[in-house]
Amino acid sequence: MRELRPALFLFILFTVICGGIYPAIVTGIAYAVFPNQAKGSLIVDKNHREVGSALIGQPFSDSKYFWPRPSAATDFGYNPMGSGGSNSGPTNPDYLKTVADRVKALRDSGVLGPIPADLVQASASGLDPDITPAAARLQIPRVAKARGMAVAEVSRVVNEHLKERQFGFLGEPRVNVLELNLALDAAK
Amino acid sequence: MNVYEWLQTILFFVLLLALVKPMGTFMAKVFQGERTFLSPVLIPCENLVYRICGVDKDEEMGWQRYAVGLLLFNLASGIALFLILLLQGILPLNPQKFPAFSWHLALNTAISFMTNTNWQAYSGESAASYFTQMVGFAVHNFLSAATGIVVAIAAIRGFVRRRTADLGNVYVDLTRCTLYILLPLSIIFAVFLVSQGSIQNFSAYKTVPLVQETNYDKPKLDDKGNAIKDAKGNPVTENVKVKEVTIPMGPVASQEAIKELGTNGGGFFNANSAHPYENPSPLTNVVEVFLILLIGGSLTYTFGYQAGNPRQGWAILAVMLAILWVAIAVNYGAESGGNPLVAKLGVQSVNLEGKETRFGLAGTSLFTTATTGTSCGAVNAMHDSMTPLGGMVPLALILLSEVVFGGVGTGLYTMVAFVVIAVFVAGLMIGRTPEFLGKKIEVREMWMSIVIVLTSGILVLIFSALALLVPSAVASMANPGAHGLSEVLYAFASMSNNNGSAFAGLNANTVFYNVSGSLAMFLGRFAPILASLAMAGSLAQKKYVPPSLGTLPTDKVPFALWLTLVILIVGALTFFPALSLGPIVEHLIMLGGK
């Protein structure tokens, strides 16, 4: 079988090149040029303790914190070990009841008017770090009240954390919930 | 679409189209062995590879030898991955101590990555070690992509070469494809992805405290790991406090780049390209779509260039673009229209279930259609949670045999088969000799084209029907009613066409889906590959017939429209009944508010 040697050797050689040398080169360049990103964009507090990642959302339910989107991660919301969406179909009765419950929880917190979809519909990753600016503004009165802060003061912190579209036209404007809440904790 | 979304979409396609010609020409030169700007560095590497492997780079092969070499190469890689998965527990680079895969999951996963499907019945962050990800999965991302591309190159040579049995040297083609095309682009774009926030490291997973602690009801398990149930049959749970979480790490960016470029689609994490570490920003989102479409789109130019008729390449690309643009419009329209059953609850009318905030609807539609029009199958949103018509778009794109750019290589050779069928049928209808690029289309070419075009359709319908007859397979559905049927249909469409995306609610990690899926993926991959090589072999031996008055021009608008119709009719005739019972019925139910 004269084809066996080249086929087999080519496979072994490419395993070394693509499975070993290639990731090693990328890791080397990444560590040299973008070390912070390569290691996970971790947020470090003033005691040099890692308190989370700017890219990975965390669960918040307390009134004094801005709430993130619902998460369908396995076991508990925003579990980074179980990324994923709900995969609920649009006519699934269980799903519709879940959304209705979330709407009710928001209404109970004093929200009037139409509810931004991102606040009651789970993200794809279950780790979405962002909410829309509308969803953030809607929560300002509740957070201000719970913290005993002025609405204007909370608005100011929200505006500081508003990320515009990338280069002015890519994607959507958004607010990073973890960074926003950490900033509020630091402000008081 | 608002003005930003239009701008993002239009600029994207302008950039993509601007690169089709240079990239297509570059690939043509690489496979013809001409000098390129990379040659000074890579020719010594290339020659070293040939020396080690005992390859004579000037030796030509007939289609049978080409096919045998390709199959052996794939078989070796598939078996190696199967063994890596079974031995994961004792292999290195496994900081989380993940155990071995079960035999049926290992079989399914090995065939899945070997066939460029990258269907994943496991979830990456909680099942696969760094060694598995890098030496197993990432390597296959390169090799399966190269396999698809070289088959397309051989198919092109079938039309270009005259009166010869030679189709080139499979080992040389594989080597050049990997060294000149896949590796350099992957390195550049992997580093780019890191700059935006994709991770690239070999650290153990990080544990960080939560700002606000949370809790959940954890099912209690007995000694054997089975859920304990109370007298009424409900699972017994205990409330567990969570004060810290574990964030997975790993060499993500290097895998992400080749996963998109090679239209593989297997995610490092369960959430795939929706995960912020795989696809961190709006910019990475459009760049990843760019990578998905780049090679498939450019190969059309390679085809036209080598055939000495670039217009023919553009005509094929125009057909692909037309279908893709319609797909984007329908998907965007359905998703931005929202779900009336949710809007009724007082929620803004747009469907964001299973979508990420940063990408927005336009970025999501672009990704969703690109990943299913090609055989990529990476997802940046959960297709299962789209509205019925929105979710039918990715399903339909897969069912059209993935010719809308298609998998790298596979898209082109499948499209060529559709062209052959279109030429033949048109020839019959208007009484002209069926010929394409100067080669007569005869019975053998028609047979091979039919195999290429219909294999996946036959597999989808047979396996879906089988799944509906097996009670355990039905029990895997996550959503009731019509949507459940869509989940099963999507699963086999995805596997038979080597896509790999899913209506992911379906619990596919069962013996039935793992084994039947392995079969569907294997046949769906290699039957068309063999047919394509056989067709190229027979075409290469034919003499060139110069175009005459009786020749149907295949590079003009009427033929492009005709080709589009043939693709849609074949797809509609095969799948309309099944689609009616799944997404279309569900759409009516949703509108009816029941």
Side-chain angles (χ1 to χ4, degrees), chain B residues 40-85:
Chain B
V41 187
L42 290 180
I43 284 183
C45 305
E46 201 189 327
N47 288 334
L48 185 67
V49 170
Y50 300 148
R51 192 144 13 108
I52 295 174
C53 301
V55 171
D56 173 4
K57 70 174 174 181
D58 296 318
E59 192 184 13
E60 289 279 335
M61 300 177 174
W63 80 266
Q64 293 98 332
R65 229 187 119 192
Y66 201 99
V68 168
L70 197 65
L71 288 182
L72 279 175
F73 179 72
N74 273 274
L75 205 63
S77 69
I79 291 172
L81 181 54
F82 184 60
L83 293 177
I84 287 176
L85 295 173

Side-chain angles (χ1 to χ4, degrees), chain A residues 2 10-11 17 29 58 98 106 108 117 127:
Chain A
R2 61 179 173 162
L10 202 60
F11 165 66
I17 296 172
I29 302 176
Q58 289 196 4
T98 307
L106 281 170
D108 290 347
L127 306 173

